Amino acid sequence: MTKHPPSRNNFALVAVCLSALMLGLEITSIPSILPTLERVLSADFQQLQWIMNAYTIAMCSVLMAMGTLGDRFGRKRVFLIGVTVFAVASMICGLATSAPLLIAARFLQGTSAAAMLACQVAVLSHQFRDGAERGKAFGWWGIVFGVGLGFGPIVGGAIITLASWHWVFLVHVVIAILTIAFAQKGVEESIDPQATRIDVAGMVTLSLAVFGIVYLITQGRELGATSPPALTILALSLASFVLFVVIEARIARPMFDFRAFRVRHFSGAILGSSGMNFSFWPFVIYLPIYLQAVLGYDAIAAGMTVLGYTLPTIVAPPLAERLLISRGPRFVIPLGLFTIGAGFILLMLATTSDHASWVTLVPGCVLAGIGLGLTNTPVTNTATAALPPERGGMASGMDMSARMISLAVNIALMGFILSSGVTAHLAQALPALPSDAVLRALADMISAGNLAASETLGVPIAVAREALAHGIGRVTLYGALCAWGLALASFVVFGRPPASRPETLQH
């Protein structure tokens, strides 16, 4: 086992953490500037949805493919290409003069983000082999990733207040340059020596399947759930996934090795990865909407309130790593997910209360954040440690695919639940129901926090505010049930001591 110089490893860790910071910020800082983009780019609601979703859809669609390319051509090489393209895409976003151009650039951002994300954990797994050193590295990675995701709304609100929306994107150009400098100095090139062929068929079929499903969830209401286009997309997506499973089961070096799920620690960790993104992270997009539209906070005040939600995610990972070492993943990962669910129950009670304020929200926010901090780094550390080091790219790709696919799907699902809750409340509160098309437009406006626009269509702001609070209550209940369900599932999977690594994974 090669021992890497501490200084080189530190440079590599800084590069990985800076790239993680960019990825997180670019997911959660965008909602803060959507009202501005609607005005300056003359973007309609559907275009605003695409500005938000294009990044995660693209990232999810090609994440496993990028992990495979990293295994074959070198994690450092693919990582650096990803960072460079991300910088270019961020510059295009910052200089965009129309919504379609911004959407296209967001797709390019998401594709390059997938290259960075798929290689981050593989780089850490390769360069940090000792238990204590590895735990510390993953702890810092989890903290910084959490800072990016959790503080995105604050950063977006601050930039839009102090500068202009362009800098929400352009700031990544500067960070990317620093990332490249540290990576060149610290990251050591690594490959999977057995990855002599590229699983092109697997890459294409999985990418098509993920793209189709996420597209259907995000755009399904516009298409109509039973419309011919929606049913066609669903059929093609399912067919692509079935074909992907068949292909991966038959080739020698699959990009998504289903045999890895024979390792209980790996399977339990993947459930933990999914659990966080069925609950905690997608809600960080909708919490600022509630704070600003329902409670009336400005962007800065809302961002400061979100600190109660995100700050514990930074404090808890060191404790999580100690619990992982002393008690094992079967204890810490289900505990973290259960704690997230408990926090969401408190949030549901607070958001549906007649006397909601930041004071009533803080207990639920803090408890959910502690749960996330207990879960975040142990799931990645457990997943990558469960498989042979040479399959680090695949392991990290499967882990991050679980995270990002569940994140993209649940951003869309939470949006659907929110809009459905708003629609249900409006149907009860309005004396005369508008047409389905108008009701859907009203629900979309209110779900995006645009209460003033809904007033122009005859809905009093007080009613719109109540409808939004009702929808948020449904979202928090959904997050709690998902976190608890996956906590139980992971506990069951971790139930027996993990089997030794399957010989089929050690070619």
Side-chain angles (χ1 to χ4, degrees), residues 21-41:
L21 179 66
M22 289 191 290
L23 295 180
L25 285 175
E26 205 56 18
I27 293 174
T28 57
S29 63
I30 304 306
S32 300
I33 67 170
L34 288 180
T36 301
L37 296 178
E38 182 180 20
R39 185 180 68 254
V40 300
L41 299 181

Side-chain angles (χ1 to χ4, degrees), residues 67-106:
T68 300
L69 293 176
D71 284 346
R72 172 65 179 86
F73 296 109
R75 286 84 180 237
K76 179 179 181 178
R77 178 181 299 174
V78 173
F79 178 77
L80 287 173
I81 292 173
V83 175
T84 302
V85 176
F86 191 88
V88 173
S90 297
M91 181 174 292
I92 297 172
C93 286
L95 301 177
T97 56
S98 68
L101 178 59
L102 180 56
I103 293 168
R106 289 280 286 165

Side-chain angles (χ1 to χ4, degrees), residues 319-406:
L319 171 63
E321 289 298 328
R322 289 196 293 271
L323 288 174
L324 180 63
I325 293 171
S326 62
R327 301 294 299 273
R330 189 192 183 206
F331 176 81
V332 67
I333 292 174
L335 174 64
L337 293 178
F338 180 84
T339 306
I340 292 173
F344 267 72
I345 290 295
L346 294 181
L347 283 170
M348 181 190 68
L349 296 175
T351 55
T352 56
S353 168
D354 293 334
H355 306 287
S357 70
W358 69 268
V359 176
T360 61
L361 290 169
V362 162
C365 287
V366 170
L367 194 59
I370 290 172
L372 189 283
L374 291 175
T375 311
N376 193 27
T377 54
V379 295
T380 298
N381 207 344
T382 301
T384 54
L387 301 183
E390 66 269 15
R391 307 275 7 223
M394 185 200 71
S396 64
M398 291 174 75
D399 173 40
M400 288 303 162
S401 288
R403 290 179 184 242
M404 298 312 299
I405 291 172
S406 56

Side-chain angles (χ1 to χ4, degrees), residues 396-464:
S396 64
M398 291 174 75
D399 173 40
M400 288 303 162
S401 288
R403 290 179 184 242
M404 298 312 299
I405 291 172
S406 56
L407 177 62
V409 167
N410 281 282
I411 287 174
L413 281 176
M414 281 190 175
F416 176 78
I417 293 169
L418 175 59
S419 183
S420 298
V422 170
T423 302
H425 186 86
L426 291 177
Q428 293 181 349
L430 295 179
L433 281 180
S435 66
D436 289 342
V438 173
L439 186 60
R440 185 168 61 244
L442 280 170
D444 288 342
M445 290 177 186
I446 294 171
S447 298
N450 195 351
L451 306 191
S454 67
E455 190 175 31
T456 64
L457 294 178
V459 178
I461 286 185
V463 174

Side-chain angles (χ1 to χ4, degrees), residues 73-433:
F73 296 109
R75 286 84 180 237
K76 179 179 181 178
R77 178 181 299 174
V78 173
F79 178 77
L80 287 173
I81 292 173
V83 175
T84 302
V85 176
F86 191 88
V88 173
S90 297
M91 181 174 292
I92 297 172
C93 286
L95 301 177
T97 56
S98 68
L101 178 59
L102 180 56
I103 293 168
R106 289 280 286 165
F107 268 108
L108 184 60
Q109 264 192 325
T111 303
S112 56
M116 291 193 289
L117 189 56
C119 295
Q120 284 173 3
V121 178
V123 167
L124 294 181
S125 298
H126 176 75
Q127 296 201 213
F128 295 90
R129 302 290 183 90
D130 295 339
E133 185 184 38
R134 180 187 181 94
K136 183 179 179 181
F138 274 102
W140 276 110
W141 172 80
I143 289 172
V144 175
F145 207 173
V147 168
L149 281 168
F151 285 72
I154 301 173
V155 172
I159 290 177
I160 199 70
T161 301
L162 302 175
S164 70
W165 67 269
H166 306 82
W167 284 100
V168 173
F169 300 106
L170 295 177
V171 67
H172 297 300
V173 178
V174 179
I175 301 176
I177 292 173
L178 293 174
T179 303
I180 292 170
F182 281 107
Q184 289 283 18
K185 193 170 182 64
V187 175
E188 181 178 276
E189 186 62 278
S190 62
I191 62 171
D192 178 359
Q194 302 296 326
T196 56
R197 297 178 59 188
I198 299 177
D199 181 11
V200 176
M203 290 167 57
V204 172
T205 51
L206 179 61
S207 297
L208 289 175
V210 173
F211 179 85
I213 293 298
V214 177
Y215 178 86
L216 192 61
I217 293 173
T218 55
Q219 305 300 315
R221 293 184 68 215
E222 295 295 328
L223 294 174
T226 59
S227 67
L231 294 176
T232 300
I233 294 172
L234 178 61
L236 291 175
S237 299
L238 293 177
S240 295
F241 182 74
V242 170
L243 187 57
F244 168 73
V245 172
V246 172
I247 291 170
E248 299 306 287
R250 294 188 175 186
I251 65 174
R253 294 292 288 185
M255 62 178 285
F256 198 102
D257 197 337
F258 287 97
R259 294 168 295 183
F261 290 110
R262 298 175 185 173
V263 182
R264 284 180 169 266
H265 273 195
F266 182 81
S267 298
I270 293 299
L271 288 172
S273 293
S274 300
M276 297 183 297
N277 294 295
F278 269 81
S279 52
F280 189 92
W281 287 126
F283 186 65
V284 81
I285 292 174
Y286 298 101
L287 180 58
I289 295 175
Y290 171 83
L291 293 169
Q292 294 182 62
V294 176
L295 299 186
Y297 297 164
D298 60 26
I300 299 298
M304 295 302 293
T305 305
V306 174
L307 278 175
Y309 191 69
T310 57
L311 195 58
T313 70
I314 302 172
V315 177
L319 171 63
E321 289 298 328
R322 289 196 293 271
L323 288 174
L324 180 63
I325 293 171
S326 62
R327 301 294 299 273
R330 189 192 183 206
F331 176 81
V332 67
I333 292 174
L335 174 64
L337 293 178
F338 180 84
T339 306
I340 292 173
F344 267 72
I345 290 295
L346 294 181
L347 283 170
M348 181 190 68
L349 296 175
T351 55
T352 56
S353 168
D354 293 334
H355 306 287
S357 70
W358 69 268
V359 176
T360 61
L361 290 169
V362 162
C365 287
V366 170
L367 194 59
I370 290 172
L372 189 283
L374 291 175
T375 311
N376 193 27
T377 54
V379 295
T380 298
N381 207 344
T382 301
T384 54
L387 301 183
E390 66 269 15
R391 307 275 7 223
M394 185 200 71
S396 64
M398 291 174 75
D399 173 40
M400 288 303 162
S401 288
R403 290 179 184 242
M404 298 312 299
I405 291 172
S406 56
L407 177 62
V409 167
N410 281 282
I411 287 174
L413 281 176
M414 281 190 175
F416 176 78
I417 293 169
L418 175 59
S419 183
S420 298
V422 170
T423 302
H425 186 86
L426 291 177
Q428 293 181 349
L430 295 179
L433 281 180

